[in-house]
Amino acid sequence: MTLPLTAIVNARLAGRPGLYRVAMADGRFTAIDAQAASQSAAADELDAGGNLLLPPFVEPHIHLDAALTAGEPRWNQSGTLFEGIECWGERKAMLSRDDVVSRAEQTLKLFAAHGIQYVRTHVDVTDPQLTALRAMVEVRERVREFVDLQIVAFPQEGILSFPGGKELMTEAVAIGADVIGGIPHFEFTRDYGVESVKWLMDLAERHDCLVDVHCDEIDDPQSRFLEVLAAEALSRDYGSRVTASHTCAMHSYEDAYCSRLFRLLGKSGLNFVALPTENLHLQGRFDGYPKRRGITRVPELLDAGLKVCFGQDSIRDPWYPMGNGNLLRTLDVGLHACHMLGMERIETALEIVTDNGAAALNLNSYGIAVGNPARCMVVNGATPYEVLLNQSPVLASIRDGRCLVQREAPVHEVAGWS
Ligand SMILES: O=c1cc[nH]c(=O)[nH]1
C-alpha cells in the first residue's frame, strides 16, 4: 500500500474552468482550491498534469460468478441469451468456492486497474447449494480495501420457474445479498413474470434491500415487465432504490406505447442500466436484415430526466467472449450505437459511467466534495471529448487518499518519423 497523499495538484474538474488543488487528509477530501497557475507537486502530492479528475468509475452490472468461464465446458455458438443460460447451467454444476473466489478476484483486479472502485455483481442463486453466493460474500470482504462490492441475489433460471426459487432467494438474503434481482422475461409465462416482480418487491421491502431486475432482456415487443416494475416501485415509493437492467424490449416497442410508458417511468424515478456491448452481441439474433441493436432508449430516458448508466455485464463468459475491464470502451460503443455523438452528449457522457452508476447503486458520499472519502481518478484528457478520443486506461486511481494505480499516458511516436 502506498503512503497517503496530501493533495492532487493541477487537476481539472468537470464543468469548471482552470486548474485545482484538491487536498485530502485521513482519507477524506479537505479542500478544493482554484490555482492561479500550474504548480509543482511535493513528494506527498500527485500531479494530475492538467487532466480531468473524476470520481471513480462505477461498474453497475457484472456477473462475477461467471467471469472468465467462456468456452467451459463449451462455447455459445448461437450467440443468444438462451444458449448462454444453457452453457452456464453446465458450468454452474462444476462450481467450487475456490473457483469462484479466484475468478471474481482476478476480474475485480482488472476493474481496479481501470479506475473502478464500486461494483454491483449479479450472482446466480438458482443453485440449491448457493456455492457462488456464499463465495461472493467472502470476496466482498476480501476486496474491501480496493473495491466496494454489492451483491445481487439473481435468479438466473427464474423465481417461479425454478424449483425452490423463492426459498433460494430468501436464503440468499439471509446469507448476505444486498440487492434483490429478478428475470421476469425468462419465467415460463407472462403471469409468472408479473408475479415474480411483485414477489421480489415484497422481499426487498421486507428486508429493506435495493432492487435490480434483469428486465425485458429480449427483442420481443410484447415483453412489458418494465411497466410492472415501475408501477410497483411507484406505488411503494421505492423508485430511487430500484434499477431496471437491460430493458432491451423497449428498443422494439411502438412509439405510441413508449409515450404512455415514459409518463409512468418519469413518475417512478427508476434507475436504468444499459449494457451496450452485450446487448449488441446477444440481441437481434432472431432477425434477418435489418438487425435490431437491442439497446434501450438511452437518450430518450436521459432527456426524460432519468438516470441511465452503462455496464459491462460480462468479462469472457458464456454470454460474451470479450471484455477488458475498461468502462471507456463500453461507453464508446454505447455512444456510437445510441446515436449519442453530438457535442452536448459528449460533454456529459462521462456521467454515464460515474454519477449515474452511483445513483443506481444508491451510493452515499460519492463525488469530489469536501468531507467525502478521498476517492477519485485522473483520466487521460483535459475535457470529456479528449478522454473519449484518447480511450486510454486511467492515469491514476486514488482510494481513501492512497494511490491504487498510477501510470504514464501512452505516447504515440514512431521512430524516425519527426
Ligand atoms: O446478459 C446476461 C448475462 C447473464 N445472464 C443474463 O440473464 N443476461
Side-chain angles (χ1 to χ4, degrees), residues 322-363:
M322 313 297 282
N324 64 6
N326 189 351
L327 268 170
L328 288 177
R329 168 179 174 268
T330 313
L331 180 61
D332 186 54
V333 172
L335 294 176
H336 281 83
C338 297
H339 285 167
M340 289 178 66
L341 293 175
M343 196 42 70
E344 275 183 30
R345 300 275 185 215
I346 286 175
E347 275 163 6
T348 54
L350 293 168
E351 292 169 16
I352 294 176
V353 283
T354 54
D355 297 320
N356 293 5
L361 267 62
N362 234 259
L363 299 180

Side-chain angles (χ1 to χ4, degrees), residues 42-297:
D44 56 359
E45 295 177 344
L46 180 77
D47 188 349
N51 290 298
L52 265 181
L53 187 71
L54 296 174
F57 284 136
V58 177
E59 171 52 69
H61 188 123
I62 186 73
H63 294 259
L64 286 178
D65 53 346
L68 309 178
T69 64
E72 298 172 10
R74 64 184 169 93
W75 293 93
N76 179 344
Q77 299 291 354
S78 65
T80 60
L81 170 69
F82 308 102
E83 189 179 341
I85 295 174
E86 280 169 27
C87 293
W88 170 240
E90 292 166 34
R91 181 60 174 81
K92 186 162 55 172
M94 297 147 65
L95 290 179
S96 69
R97 176 250 172 224
D98 290 357
D99 169 42
V100 176
V101 170
S102 155
R103 288 182 292 95
E105 290 191 9
Q106 279 181 66
T107 308
L108 288 169
K109 196 185 273 186
L110 188 66
F111 284 1
H114 282 99
I116 295 171
Q117 293 188 31
Y118 299 92
V119 176
R120 176 178 282 178
T121 180
H122 294 256
V123 179
D124 186 359
V125 298
T126 50
D127 159 19
Q129 273 69 52
L130 293 173
T131 304
L133 193 274
R134 291 177 207 281
M136 206 62 71
V137 168
E138 244 188 83
V139 170
R140 185 173 59 195
E141 289 311 308
R142 290 164 60 103
V143 302
R144 202 173 272 288
E145 208 177 317
F146 307 99
V147 177
D148 285 14
L149 182 62
Q150 285 184 0
I151 298 174
V152 185
F154 170 52
Q156 178 68 80
E157 297 184 50
I159 296 174
L160 278 87
S161 311
F162 188 78
K166 289 182 180 173
E167 290 72 20
L168 288 167
M169 288 287 288
T170 309
E171 198 182 339
V173 176
I175 292 172
D178 310 286
V179 186
I180 309 298
I183 187 163
H185 56 276
F186 194 72
E187 299 283 358
F188 290 149
T189 67
R190 185 191 158 280
D191 288 349
Y192 277 16
V194 172
E195 194 184 327
S196 75
V197 171
K198 293 182 176 170
W199 186 86
L200 72 87
M201 288 295 295
D202 284 343
L203 182 67
E205 264 199 312
R206 239 185 357 264
H207 294 276
D208 194 24
C209 286
L210 302 172
V211 172
D212 190 334
V213 175
H214 280 61
C215 197
D216 304 316
E217 188 186 0
I218 190 164
D219 290 321
D220 174 8
Q222 299 303 322
S223 187
R224 293 182 172 188
F225 297 105
L226 176 57
E227 65 179 18
V228 180
L229 183 65
E232 286 294 318
L234 178 62
S235 71
R236 298 164 195 252
D237 194 18
Y238 220 69
S240 63
R241 307 187 72 199
V242 177
T243 296
S245 282
H246 290 291
T247 61
C248 304
M250 195 201 291
H251 190 94
S252 299
Y253 292 160
E254 286 287 333
D255 285 351
Y257 170 65
C258 251
S259 127
R260 171 166 83 83
L261 176 65
F262 267 59
R263 182 169 156 269
L264 169 62
L265 298 181
K267 284 177 186 288
S268 73
L270 290 190
N271 302 293
F272 287 82
V273 181
L275 295 306
T277 45
E278 186 113 342
N279 296 155
L280 282 172
H281 173 64
L282 294 177
Q283 303 305 314
R285 290 284 175 170
F286 300 94
D287 290 357
Y289 284 97
K291 289 185 195 292
R292 282 168 287 178
R293 300 171 185 210
I295 304 181
T296 198
R297 300 189 185 202

